[in-house]
Amino acid sequence: MRSLPPLASNGGTVTVHSTGEARAHDSAVLHVSGAARYVDDLTEPSDLLHAAVGLTEIACGAIRSLDLDAVKAASGVVAVLTLADVPGHTDIGPVFPGDPLLAGERVKYHGQALFAVAAESQLQARRAARLAKVEYAAETPLLDALQAKAEERFVRPPHHMRRGDAEEALSTAPHVLEANQQIGGQEHFYLEGQVSMAIPQEDGGMLVHTSSQHPSEVQKLVAEVLAIPLAKVTVEVRRMGGGFGGKETQAAPFACLAALLARKTGRAVKLRLPRADDMRLTGKRHPFCNRYRVGFDDDGRLLGAELEVVGNCGHSPDLSDAIVDRAMFHADNAYFIPNVAISGYRSFTNCVSHTAFRGFGGPQGMMIIERAMDDIARAVGKDPLDVRKLNLYGGPGRDLTPYHQRVEHNLLGELIERLETSSDYRARREAIRAYNAASPVLKKGLALTPVKFGISFTAQHLNQAGALIHLYTDGSIQLNHGGTEMGQGLYIKVAQVVAEEFQVPLEQVTITATRTDKVPNTSPTAASSGTDLNGMAARDAARTLKRRLAEFLAERDGVPVASVRFEHGQIRIGDHALSFAEAIQAAYFARVQLSATGFYRTPKIHYDRDKAEGRPFFYYAFGAAVSEVEVDTLTGEYRLLRADILHDVGRSLNPAIDIGQIEGGFIQGMGWLTSEELRWDAEGHLLTVGPATYKIPAASDAPEDFRVALFDRPNEEDSVYLSKAVGEPPFMLAISVWSALRDAIASLADYRVSPNLDTPATPERVFWACEAVRGKHPHPSPLPGGEGTDRSRTGTPHSAATPDNPLPLRERAGVRAAAARALPPHPLPEGEGTDRSRAETPYSAATPDNPLSLRERVGVRANQTENPS
Ligand code: MTE
Ligand code: HPA
Ligand code: MOS
């Protein structure tokens, strides 16, 4: 046995505080030096084959014939797999059936997986996959979620929540507004794409290395497609290069395909999707079409609301039941609605099956009520912040959500007050009004929006976790749990919990890869609950080991168990102490078990979905953000000048990680609402299949002035060290950017018009929103009054944005990048500021392959909300 380091003098020399300390991500150095190993970096087995997927070329129809002879004959090809070759289950739907592993007779979306091929090299596999000869009987795809709703084509039945009598409240309210809001989807754009490597085992089993948020489900599905017991499949996930929800269910198909090809060939198989295939084959954040009808009094206080959220789910249920539910659970966001009815629809479309994405429908739900807040404020002539504050949960009888959970421990009143002060909101509001009054073209906008996000999986059974801790005889600690690491810092937070429990330095805890043979039957790492669940399970395991050690040492030394204490990296036993390692060695020789499992299930939660009543969430995480934007109202270009965030993470386990999550979530949310635009053509082809056409935020898009602070208040529910989940909630703080853009646009009509601004609010959409507002309320702008604003009369397509012309998209990207660096004041004097030819060239709705184009939406902006009085 190894010799031990000398024991520190009694009383100890180190004070050990692991939780609450800002610690670097455990893989930070590996990440930045390129040494972190992702699945594609693992040492390859000598017999490794590489796989590629053949994709369908239509969005809807039947497959008449599939001729794979040329694929099979291609150089390097070892095996080809179709649905008929699958020995076990062929439907891998995660909750409900509907996801065939490969298309059989029917095609449900363009780019659906049709077959897979394994070859000696990746290039050979990818080349071979293009050689299939397929005959289709194409049908007209259904691509519009609202059309699907009208035709009652749903992937899951509609669902309703209600409290009070919304209809009655709306019929008697002094003011009623209604509006529609289109909300775009979002590509996950994890830096590491979908990848799995399957290695056949001697017992007929399979070892799978995969980039998945849900190793247990990959294990189950691999076992099911292979028709072998789950116990013969082991899945390992060391880390992902980002998941963001896109690897909760949609990593599994590629693990299954790799495993099936490995079974078929008897060789290891790796399947790594090229980016364009990844973007075609995997689901995204659900686009939504939302609607509100709200009734309110003269002050802007809500009296009743009917809210409708329609999710474009794509071709299968996937997680859409829960995602549209979460949109409904968040359609109130932070506001008490005395009488409310919320309807949620899950539209079928011939599109890839949309899936989990940070916020899990919550962001799309919140958008509708945040839009209503701004519209109400403009209707009653108030600052939107005052209307938001007026409607917050709180005060007698104002704490019940539409799903009948009480909002307890609401921090938003205080949090918003603090942020309002620290961000200097009122003075900046005045300054912006003055600036806008003097600036005809460049307009600034400001908005404060809150977030209240429910923490727990809404499917009760998923709120459980397991952990496994081994103590070794040199005092080192090995930690394993069911959570996966995708960059969010879960591993280090759970390690901090364990170090804190044993009161040893964090470096003494070794983190190990997530594996289904160490902790079984785990939930996905999702719903922001990774630390809450796995941290508690690890704490449970640590406490079991501490109890065993304390009982053994107390008995050995004849002292009460209570006098054994873990402190300063040592174990004190009455009036003397052992080093941690000495104690472990003594326990080993006394045959004390030095390995323990831990388990946790979240208390208090329950939900009766038939009644739409219960307590789906253990607690809420809160936050608020103030964003200030500047918009060039002649081009639609804009930038975010400053963002102030105050966010509630309970008692932070690791402020460095938490602030990183807040910053990253906010910027990712901003990308969703501004620059990230998914485009499908009329045949259902995804046109944006890479970074050249799909624009995620760049470093230069982050605000120059970015102030993030933690609202440091322990959770009042008994969470792990009273911390709160942080992964998803900050994403929704970015709604403040969109709201600030609308504020800037509204300034064109002295805030008397509340502009429509569908998302993503690209410069094009911002431009047209400016035009629409100007058209209604002629403004002393360089444009001759009203001219060039009615787009519906002109039919020339705007070449810069037609979906079948990718080049102008690149141009636009260039313009945006330039805009991000500096938004120049408009160079021309008043009256000469516009390029007429450009301004009069409309964004055409007539393009056959773009049924939901901008012009059409601008054209139907009849529901532009105006002062109802
Ligand atoms: N942060 C990074 N860096 N990468 C990610 O993929 N995923 C987000 C969030 N933060 C993600 C991330 C999502 S969608 C969730 S649900 C949570 O992290 C999951 O991890 P947690 O439960 O440990 O917070
Ligand atoms: N959030 C995130 N992922 C999930 C959920 C949820 O509520 N339910 C199932 N997967
Ligand atoms: Mo996150 S969308 O719950 O993986």
Side-chain angles (χ1 to χ4, degrees), residues 468-480:
L468 176 65
I469 297 179
H470 303 318
L471 301 178
Y472 293 95
T473 51
D474 61 352
S476 62
I477 301 170
Q478 201 184 75
L479 167 64
N480 195 275

Side-chain angles (χ1 to χ4, degrees), residues 117 137 213 283 611:
V117 52
Q213 292 170 242
K611 289 196 192 143

Side-chain angles (χ1 to χ4, degrees), residues 213 244-246 248 356-360 486 525-528 728:
Q213 292 170 242
F244 305 113
E248 179 170 341
F357 196 143
R358 209 169 194 169
F360 204 73
M486 57 196 98
T525 307
S528 302
E728 294 166 289

Side-chain angles (χ1 to χ4, degrees), residues 13 19 35 37 74 94-95 118 143 147 161 305 315 348 356 404 488 512 624 633 657 695 714 737 744 793 856-857 861:
T13 52
T19 58
R37 290 212 255 166
V95 188
L143 299 170
Q147 185 189 339
M161 297 173 180
H315 74 88
F348 168 93
H404 299 255
Q488 85 277 39
T512 58
T633 59
I657 296 285
K695 306 312 291 181
V737 177
R793 267 177 294 165
E856 198 171 66
R857 289 184 207 165
R861 282 173 189 200

Side-chain angles (χ1 to χ4, degrees), residues 177-390:
L177 278 181
E178 56 181 294
N180 302 321
Q181 178 71 42
Q182 308 264 351
I183 299 160
Q186 188 178 23
E187 161 62 33
H188 298 85
F189 228 103
Y190 23 61
L191 292 184
E192 178 207 34
Q194 303 282 359
V195 55
S196 285
M197 180 165 71
I199 306 169
Q201 304 296 296
E202 61 178 23
D203 63 353
M206 199 64 70
L207 169 64
V208 182
H209 295 274
T210 183
S211 183
S212 163
Q213 292 170 242
H214 201 348
S216 283
E217 185 162 272
V218 171
Q219 175 198 24
K220 170 176 170 285
L221 293 172
V222 165
E224 287 178 355
V225 298
L226 294 176
I228 61 177
L230 271 73
K232 287 212 188 297
V233 178
T234 297
V235 174
E236 173 169 330
V237 181
R238 172 57 187 85
R239 62 169 65 79
M240 283 159 271
F244 305 113
K247 296 170 180 172
E248 179 170 341
T249 58
Q250 302 210 4
F254 312 105
C256 289
L257 291 174
L260 284 160
L261 285 165
R263 157 71 89 77
K264 193 166 179 179
T265 59
R267 294 169 65 173
V269 173
K270 180 156 73 184
L271 173 48
R272 176 169 67 74
L273 294 182
R275 179 66 61 179
D277 283 4
D278 195 314
M279 290 183 77
R280 289 190 181 103
L281 271 163
T282 64
K284 298 157 200 331
R285 177 185 297 284
H286 293 56
F288 269 69
C289 308
N290 295 349
R291 203 168 61 82
Y292 76 68
R293 266 188 83 214
V294 290
F296 51 97
D297 64 17
D298 294 345
D299 291 333
R301 189 187 288 260
L302 282 170
L303 301 170
E306 286 173 357
L307 307 173
E308 181 183 283
V309 298
V310 182
N312 176 343
C313 300
H315 74 88
S316 77
D318 185 78
L319 298 171
S320 294
D321 235 7
I323 287 167
V324 176
D325 273 6
R326 192 172 273 272
M328 298 169 74
F329 283 128
H330 290 82
D332 61 338
N333 191 14
Y335 312 109
F336 176 67
I337 312 173
N339 297 282
V340 57
I342 304 175
S343 303
Y345 299 91
R346 293 142 178 90
S347 286
F348 168 93
T349 53
N350 285 110
C351 193
V352 64
S353 192
H354 293 311
T355 192
F357 196 143
R358 209 169 194 169
F360 204 73
Q364 296 98 311
M366 270 181 205
M367 281 291 287
I368 194 63
I369 198 73
E370 289 304 335
R371 173 180 177 148
M373 286 296 135
D374 285 339
D375 295 348
I376 292 169
R378 286 178 199 120
V380 299
K382 279 188 162 185
D383 186 319
L385 174 57
D386 292 318
V387 170
R388 288 191 162 89
K389 285 163 75 169
L390 188 66

